[in-house]
């Protein structure tokens, strides 16, 4: 029997954000939010121009990468994408910490990669962030969510709507419980 825990009452006014580094100057952050982010998300911007703008803001993007419209990237200077990878429409990369995406990776529509969280046991609700790594050949399917501190191994598949909270071994196939097809185990 596990011990009973006393709930922690959050005192959000005491939040400081201590230890979090945006990784760029206030001016660069503001320029990204005001100009870069809306332009790169636009359906009117060709994919090659989208990649060029992200590189200009510090993203490390290899040749052959396709980033579709309506993709939200929190801080491009904390993003690295390997050759020939695809980022689908509506994907959200909330990269308070670095996100590293390998080569030949497919991040499908409306997937979320989230490096940020908060310490639930801390009344100040301070950050509890960690990087995400998606290794070569992996596929993060539609509306899947990968949370902070996770590595998705090479050639692994994260199925549609799956919630990934721990490392996925290379070649593994992770599906949401309700997504299993008849007869699969």
């Amino acid at each position: 029997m596990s011990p009973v825990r006393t709930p922690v009452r959050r005192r959000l006014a005491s939040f400081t954000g201590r230890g979090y580094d945006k990784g760029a100057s206030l001016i660069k952050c503001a320029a990204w939010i005001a100009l870069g982010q809306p332009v790169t998300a636009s359906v009117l911007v060709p994919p090659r121009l989208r990649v060029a703008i992200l590189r200009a803001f510090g993203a490390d993007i290899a040749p052959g990468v396709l980033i579709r419209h309506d993709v939200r990237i929190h801080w491009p200077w904390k993003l690295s994408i390997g050759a020939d990878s695809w980022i689908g429409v509506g994907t959200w990369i909330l990269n308070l910490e670095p996100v590293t995406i390998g080569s030949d990776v497919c991040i499908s529509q409306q997937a979320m990669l989230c490096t940020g969280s908060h310490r639930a046991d801390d009344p100040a609700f301070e950050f509890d962030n960690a990087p995400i790594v998606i290794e070569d050949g992996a596929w993060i399917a539609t509306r899947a969510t990968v949370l902070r501190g996770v590595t998705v191994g090479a050639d692994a598949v994260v199925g549609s709507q799956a919630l990934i909270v721990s490392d996925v071994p290379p070649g593994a196939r992770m599906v949401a419980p309700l997504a299993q097809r008849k007869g699969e185990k």
Side-chain angles (χ1 to χ4, degrees):
M1 185 174 216
S2 59
V4 176
R5 293 185 184 186
T6 305
V8 173
R9 175 65 191 247
R10 277 168 260 306
R11 305 287 180 211
L12 299 181
S14 63
F15 175 81
T16 65
R18 70 178 172 263
Y20 174 60
D21 180 9
K22 290 182 179 85
S25 70
L26 182 60
I27 292 171
K28 186 174 185 177
C29 292
W32 170 247
I33 291 167
L35 301 170
Q37 196 172 54
V39 170
T40 58
S42 173
V43 70
L44 302 175
V45 174
R48 285 186 183 172
L49 180 56
R50 192 173 292 122
V51 167
I53 293 168
L54 286 162
R55 285 181 181 141
F57 274 96
D60 179 14
I61 301 176
V65 170
L66 174 64
I67 299 176
R68 301 301 305 246
H69 65 278
D70 200 27
V71 171
R72 295 172 62 187
I73 297 168
H74 197 72
W75 302 132
W77 47 89
K78 290 189 175 193
L79 178 63
S80 176
I81 306 175
D84 303 314
S85 290
W86 300 347
I87 310 296
V89 174
T91 294
W92 187 3
I93 301 175
L94 183 52
N95 57 335
L96 300 173
E97 301 301 333
V99 168
T100 304
I101 298 170
S103 297
D104 296 305
V105 169
C106 179
I107 310 288
S108 292
Q109 299 83 349
Q110 297 181 346
M112 181 176 198
L113 308 179
C114 180
T115 65
S117 190
H118 295 273
R119 290 187 44 220
D121 61 346
D122 179 4
F125 211 45
E126 294 296 344
F127 285 126
D128 183 15
N129 302 341
I132 291 174
V133 176
I134 311 294
E135 294 181 346
D136 295 348
W139 176 22
I140 311 300
T142 300
R143 293 188 176 170
T145 299
V146 178
L147 296 182
R148 63 165 175 41
V150 167
T151 295
V152 175
D155 304 312
V157 175
V158 172
S160 179
Q161 298 188 356
L163 173 62
I164 304 300
V165 298
S166 61
D167 291 350
V168 176
R173 182 175 177 192
M174 308 298 289
V175 296
L178 297 176
Q180 292 183 355
R181 291 186 206 136
K182 188 175 183 179
E184 280 189 10
K185 294 187 182 189

